[in-house]
Amino acid sequence: ADGGVTTEPAATGSLRSVRLNDPPEWARSVTLYEIYVRGYAADDEEADNTFEALTKRLDYLEELGVDCLWLTPVLQNDHAPHGYNITDFFSIAEDLGTEEEYRAFVDAAHDRGMKVLFDLVLNHSARDHPFFQDAYKNPRSQYYDWYEWQESGEPGTYFDWEYIANWNFENLEVRRHLLDAVDKWVEYVDGFRCDMAWAVPKTFWQELRERVKERDPEFLLLDETIPYIADFHDEMFDMHFDTTLYFTLRQVGNGHLGADAILDAVDQRTEVGFPDHAAFMLYQENHDETRYVVECGEPEARASAGALFTLPGTPMLYGGQELGQLGRRDPLAWDEANEALSAHYERLIDVREEIPALGYEGEFERVDHESDSDRVTCFVRRAPGSDGESVLVALNFGAGRATFEVDATVNPTVAVTGAGVVDGDELTVDDVVVLPIEG
């Protein structure tokens, strides 16, 4: 309730206490944006390198209202375009540009007030990594004990992924190698998005956290765990992928669950052991997933977007989501952007910034509601403090306008387009509406 920091008078000055694992101050109000580096600006034929092409898109992102960028991996790799099969943890991928050009991109983002996250991939290396090539079927290799091995002589891996090999974290040389890479890239960026965090030992993350936080307490550590794991909040990460909400949004969008399941997903955070102040990143798609608008439809995508920007958490957009992009990793179809959908996202970003109740410290409450459709759900967000404003949020995942009633007195002023008053008393919602609560 106190935001995690208290200051008390003391005989020799003041005593300051900080609640561990709260996200950095800057991370509590940002809109995150994932950039798939080899597709986002692939249409730019004039730029000398990918980082220059991405820099030229920063003005667009600033105008959209984005203020934190997550780039998919930028390190040397085995040429799979996603970049997650790394062959050198200390070098920028040659096809993207040089290290200096990467730094120039980060500096340009910082000049616009944007933070940058580095996609940190530590569970494995590519099988094309020179250490693995030396170790494969060669027990005498100095790198043999750097990897996990199956009885078959093949490397340890997950999901039968054939191009990667799991590191052996019991080997202290492996830990030193990876921490040396952390020491290098932490100097460039504002946070790490930690890939497959669930597949790396917790003790390693604790060591990494102590290392980066000693350098910069405001450095963000964001974990990808599927499903999320409450233990990863303890002395490891500041913010977590809300995978439960992600899967729920998909189920609701597909019509397999009623919209109230979204409220259950939020409640589940504390039920599985997260403290009530834990921070989550909210998303409906990323580079690994089918586009939401393709799987579920545009009306559903508009409502799901409303959920991202009104539920407790930090919203994340995957590049092209706001354009109505259909391909998961295709070059963005800038010339075919869905202008109405783009305007919807711009308004949602503005509304979240304008209304304190929708922010990090805003409380979340269920509210009694009735509707003519189970595709509608409602909830309340309250700004902190006894006199903080409260707003009602209604989401409609159906294809047409729906009516709803709530156990609250609201001002029918429309904060997000898509609602109004019918016959003087019934409220309606097209996709998302945020209404002030009176009294």
Side-chain angles (χ1 to χ4, degrees):
D2 61 10
V5 178
T6 60
T7 302
E8 298 291 346
T12 58
S14 62
L15 175 66
R16 186 173 186 270
S17 62
V18 179
R19 187 169 57 199
L20 297 178
N21 293 78
D22 272 4
E25 189 70 33
W26 63 262
R28 303 177 189 189
S29 59
V30 296
T31 295
L32 263 164
Y33 192 95
E34 180 192 359
I35 292 177
Y36 187 72
V37 292
R38 290 177 176 83
Y40 191 77
D43 62 320
D44 190 335
E45 299 178 356
E46 298 180 359
D48 292 334
N49 58 79
T50 297
F51 296 122
E52 180 184 336
L54 294 177
T55 300
K56 291 161 68 175
R57 295 292 185 187
L58 290 177
D59 288 341
Y60 160 77
L61 292 168
E62 183 178 26
E63 184 176 347
L64 179 63
V66 167
D67 35 26
C68 184
L69 307 177
W70 153 29
L71 274 63
T72 52
V74 297
L75 297 182
Q76 194 67 267
N77 58 80
D78 65 358
H79 306 300
H82 53 69
Y84 284 90
N85 306 341
I86 295 171
T87 58
D88 184 346
F89 286 78
F90 296 86
S91 299
I92 295 295
E94 294 175 355
D95 66 308
L96 299 180
T98 66
E99 189 170 324
E100 291 72 22
E101 288 160 346
Y102 173 64
R103 184 184 290 276
F105 165 80
V106 174
D107 288 345
H110 286 165
D111 289 343
R112 291 168 173 79
M114 298 179 183
K115 303 293 187 179
V116 179
L117 302 186
F118 186 94
D119 205 327
L120 192 66
V121 185
L122 298 184
N123 170 71
H124 57 265
S125 79
R127 297 195 192 189
D128 281 350
H129 193 293
F131 293 177
F132 180 80
Q133 291 294 305
D134 189 78
Y136 186 53
K137 295 187 177 180
N138 178 20
R140 295 183 179 180
S141 167
Q142 64 175 314
Y143 300 114
Y144 189 81
D145 289 337
W146 284 46
Y147 290 94
E148 294 179 2
W149 298 101
Q150 304 177 56
E151 292 184 3
S152 64
E154 293 301 310
T157 186
Y158 290 98
F159 312 119
D160 296 324
W161 288 336
E162 56 184 328
Y163 298 111
I164 64 171
N166 290 352
W167 294 117
N168 172 20
F169 278 89
E170 294 183 1
N171 186 322
L172 295 183
E173 293 183 49
V174 170
R175 293 187 176 225
R176 166 53 57 196
H177 182 75
L178 297 177
L179 287 173
D180 285 346
V182 166
D183 287 346
K184 175 172 183 174
W185 301 116
V186 73
E187 299 291 337
Y188 284 73
V189 294
D190 308 285
F192 291 144
R193 176 269 183 187
C194 298
D195 183 66
M196 291 178 64
W198 50 270
V200 174
K202 297 175 184 177
T203 54
F204 183 83
W205 290 128
Q206 290 168 341
E207 185 175 3
L208 183 150
R209 177 184 180 83
E210 182 177 350
R211 198 177 195 89
V212 301
K213 292 292 187 176
E214 182 176 354
R215 173 191 171 274
D216 179 10
E218 289 294 289
F219 196 86
L220 177 67
L221 292 174
L222 167 65
D223 70 335
E224 179 202 32
T225 54
I226 305 173
Y228 54 39
I229 304 170
D231 288 353
F232 277 58
H233 191 78
D234 184 20
E235 299 181 13
M236 283 178 272
F237 294 97
D238 309 314
M239 187 178 292
H240 317 278
F241 274 50
D242 194 336
T243 51
T244 296
L245 180 63
Y246 162 78
F247 286 114
T248 301
L249 287 172
R250 290 276 169 154
Q251 291 290 91
V252 172
N254 285 323
H256 298 151
L257 291 175
D260 284 346
I262 294 169
L263 312 183
D264 298 332
V266 174
D267 287 341
Q268 189 191 25
R269 299 171 181 175
T270 54
E271 291 171 3
V272 300
F274 284 101
D276 57 10
H277 59 267
F280 292 86
M281 187 196 77
L282 315 184
Y283 66 108
Q284 67 181 34
E285 62 189 46
N286 58 35
H287 64 276
D288 286 327
E289 312 296 346
T290 305
R291 295 283 185 174
Y292 193 96
V293 70
V294 171
E295 182 175 331
C296 302
E298 184 174 338
E300 293 81 358
R302 294 172 68 91
S304 183
L308 300 183
F309 285 88
T310 58
L311 288 170
T314 297
M316 189 277 282
L317 305 182
Y318 174 43
Q321 178 177 327
E322 78 283 7
L323 306 176
Q325 175 84 5
L326 302 181
R328 181 180 57 164
R329 298 179 181 176
D330 300 344
L332 294 196
W334 293 96
D335 294 336
E336 300 176 19
N338 183 327
E339 299 296 339
L341 188 59
S342 295
H344 182 65
Y345 274 100
E346 290 175 9
R347 182 60 179 145
L348 286 169
I349 292 172
D350 289 343
V351 165
R352 181 172 179 268
E353 184 175 341
E354 294 166 0
I355 301 178
L358 299 178
Y360 171 77
E361 295 183 352
E363 298 177 6
F364 167 83
E365 296 179 11
R366 291 176 178 261
V367 62
D368 291 336
H369 61 275
E370 294 183 1
S371 175
D372 54 358
S373 170
D374 69 353
R375 308 289 281 160
V376 173
T377 190
C378 302
F379 53 91
V380 169
R381 298 295 309 277
R382 299 188 188 279
S386 58
D387 58 349
E389 70 171 338
S390 301
V391 295
L392 172 80
V393 179
L395 303 171
N396 175 21
F397 285 80
R401 177 172 292 183
T403 62
F404 67 97
E405 298 179 2
V406 291
D407 187 17
T409 303
V410 299
N411 183 334
T413 303
V414 177
V416 179
T417 55
V421 178
V422 178
D423 295 331
D425 54 5
E426 286 190 310
L427 295 169
T428 69
V429 55
D430 290 339
D431 36 58
V432 53
V433 62
V434 182
L435 303 173
I437 294 178
E438 297 180 336

